Amino acid sequence: MKILVINGPNLNMLGIREPGVYGKETYKDLCRKIEDHAKKLGIDVEIYQSNHEGDLVDKIQEAYGDANGIVINPAAYTHTSVAILDAVKSVSIPTVEVHISKVEEREDFRQVSYIRKACVATVTGKGTDGYLMAMNILFEGGADK
Ligand code: CA2
């Protein structure tokens, strides 16, 4: 089984600013945590980050026939991107949406998620542990093996 973890714009800046909202862990810490968890589950994982919407769409399309599940934090594109929603729909790969912060308790514009409709589950407000929870959801049956 292979899970693709995709991170959107500015998540590479984790731990550098706004630790009150996104925690103190750096992006490198997050990647290590995801890789350790994949090892524990005995699965393959690939981690990808981009600040560019089209690159995120390309990566989702490349997962077709390669990954059994996708964990995605589209970051700001969550609230704006029909292209990322359409990409997830087009590949029909079980996908879990993750947000480090509790988006439902933040600004109104963060209440909108275009991608949510195409996802089997959403995890919010659990910090970076949310990524591991999303991997567990796919491992336990949300994903085709
Ligand atoms: O809570 C989340 O995971 C978000 O997807 C993070 C996005 C935000 O636009 C979403 O509304 C919620 C922001 C990504 C990271 O932004 C940073 C900003 C400052 C310092 C470090 C990261």
Side-chain angles (χ1 to χ4, degrees):
M1 180 180 184
K2 175 175 171 180
I3 291 178
L4 172 64
V5 179
I6 299 179
N7 282 301
N10 298 308
L11 283 162
N12 55 317
M13 300 296 281
L14 273 184
I16 295 172
R17 292 188 54 202
E18 297 200 46
V21 183
Y22 301 116
K24 283 189 210 151
E25 282 168 288
T26 63
Y27 186 67
K28 204 172 159 195
D29 294 333
L30 170 62
C31 293
R32 198 174 313 123
K33 196 164 163 173
I34 290 167
E35 278 158 4
D36 288 350
H37 193 64
K39 248 178 233 157
K40 214 183 288 173
L41 294 176
I43 61 172
D44 293 329
V45 73
E46 179 184 349
I47 306 169
Y48 178 79
Q49 190 275 331
S50 175
N51 295 325
H52 306 282
E53 186 175 17
D55 289 346
L56 296 166
V57 169
D58 286 346
K59 195 67 193 174
I60 293 164
Q61 289 184 5
E62 283 165 21
Y64 185 71
D66 181 49
N68 312 93
I70 297 174
V71 171
I72 185 165
N73 183 348
Y77 290 135
T78 306
H79 319 301
T80 63
S81 181
V82 178
I84 292 175
L85 165 69
D86 286 344
V88 169
K89 278 186 172 172
S90 76
V91 293
S92 291
I93 298 170
T95 298
V96 180
E97 173 191 12
V98 175
H99 298 287
I100 296 168
S101 65
K102 206 163 196 173
V103 278
E104 60 274 23
E105 293 181 0
R106 298 183 65 194
E107 301 96 322
D108 286 353
F109 65 85
R110 294 188 209 274
Q111 311 302 315
V112 177
S113 169
Y114 282 83
I115 200 177
R116 196 155 302 167
K117 283 191 190 73
C119 292
V120 295
T122 298
V123 181
T124 70
K126 304 289 181 196
T128 57
D129 285 353
Y131 288 82
L132 313 189
M133 293 165 74
M135 290 166 76
N136 290 343
I137 290 167
L138 293 170
F139 183 73
E140 285 161 13
D144 315 319
K145 298 227 166 136

